[in-house]
Amino acid sequence: MKISYHGHSVVYFESHGKKIIIDPFINGNTHGDLEVSDVKVDYIILTHGHNDHVGDTVELAKQNNAKVIAVFELAGYLESFGIETVALGIGGQRTFDFGTVKFVHAFHSSSHTDDKGHVNYTGMPAGIIVANDDFKFYHMGDTGLFGDIQLISDVNGPFDVTFVPIGDNFTMGIDDAAYAVNNMLDTKVVVPIHYNTFPDIEVDASKFVEATRQKARILKPGESLSEE
Ligand code: NI
Ligand code: MN
């Protein structure tokens, strides 16, 4: 599986000839490296409805005829924009032509603010577990530290990679994220996400690498895990 990071919580991967993007926040992503018009995808997977995660989903889905995989309420909301969706609930797994997608709990909130400033209800936030025959990763979405990270890892792990938010303020900060990595998650590699995009989430990610005893790998926007 080819897998790359594109700033904030944006992860792109290819599996079984399909192209998939998670949380495509492209316009407004100060650490992004993508242009909406250049992104070719078959699927978009969303962790939750916040605008820094839904991002350019509607435009991308329309320009690519891509399906959007999201929690039931967020999927229903996005359908009103005229795009095709697949709805999952927390704990649910579904098989696609690129592999399986399972939604797990994330301890956060979820809503989408539209162009008119209306705040729309978009259901529960999620973490995403993607697996094919030879690779499994966990994208934690936006979350605080919670005890069931251990349960999620025990039941679904081990993971090849886990994408962990470390930016603090809205999600886990470095100390809580390092606790999860060191004590709760069975994962070969950890990639920090959701940091330094905005002043509120500025952290020194090298401290996270130290705190996880070098298990964490900082990926620059556009950098791929398979490049090493
Ligand atoms: Ni959020
Ligand atoms: Mn966020």
Side-chain angles (χ1 to χ4, degrees):
M1 192 184 288
K2 188 189 163 201
I3 186 161
S4 53
Y5 176 61
H6 300 277
H8 206 55
S9 297
V10 185
V11 170
Y12 170 90
F13 65 98
E14 294 176 5
S15 175
H16 294 183
K18 300 294 173 187
K19 302 177 193 325
I20 302 101
I21 197 163
I22 297 177
D23 287 358
F25 173 50
I26 295 170
N27 284 311
N29 182 348
T30 56
H31 285 62
D33 66 310
L34 300 173
E35 290 286 338
V36 172
S37 55
D38 296 339
V39 175
K40 305 272 177 278
V41 285
D42 301 292
Y43 296 91
I44 298 161
I45 315 178
L46 299 177
T47 60
H48 64 297
H50 286 156
N51 292 57
D52 60 320
H53 298 260
V54 170
D56 303 283
T57 292
V58 172
E59 197 177 339
L60 273 181
K62 285 185 173 166
Q63 110 190 351
N64 289 285
N65 238 332
K67 284 197 180 84
V68 179
I69 303 165
V71 159
F72 181 80
E73 289 82 0
L74 177 56
Y77 169 71
L78 289 170
E79 291 231 331
S80 69
F81 292 88
I83 59 180
E84 200 182 339
T85 66
V86 179
L88 290 180
I90 301 299
Q93 176 171 283
R94 183 159 170 149
T95 302
F96 294 88
D97 49 6
F98 61 86
T100 60
V101 175
K102 184 172 184 179
F103 275 8
V104 295
H105 191 46
F107 206 82
H108 191 61
S109 61
S110 183
S111 59
H112 185 262
T113 307
D114 64 25
D115 292 345
K116 296 186 182 97
H118 296 141
V119 178
N120 300 278
Y121 172 68
T122 50
M124 295 277 285
I128 301 167
I129 295 167
V130 175
N132 67 14
D133 319 322
D134 60 354
F135 200 87
K136 187 183 273 186
F137 73 85
Y138 175 21
H139 186 302
M140 297 184 80
D142 279 3
T143 188
L145 183 64
F146 60 101
D148 283 354
I149 291 171
Q150 171 103 53
L151 176 70
I152 289 165
S153 177
D154 286 353
V155 172
N156 301 287
F159 305 111
D160 294 292
V161 188
T162 303
F163 294 90
V164 181
I166 66 161
D168 225 332
N169 200 86
F170 301 113
T171 68
M172 295 191 282
I174 286 172
D175 291 347
D176 287 6
Y179 182 91
V181 170
N182 295 334
N183 301 288
M184 305 168 98
L185 280 165
D186 186 355
T187 183
K188 277 187 213 144
V189 176
V190 175
V191 174
I193 60 172
H194 210 272
Y195 67 99
N196 289 359
T197 325
F198 313 113
D200 280 347
I201 57 173
E202 265 169 28
V203 295
D204 178 358
S206 69
K207 293 208 167 79
F208 180 61
V209 178
E210 280 166 39
T212 59
R213 303 175 206 106
Q214 314 302 315
K215 198 175 211 180
R217 265 211 57 198
I218 295 172
L219 291 186
K220 295 188 198 79
E223 202 175 349
S224 165
L225 270 177
S226 52
E227 277 167 16
E228 61 179 20

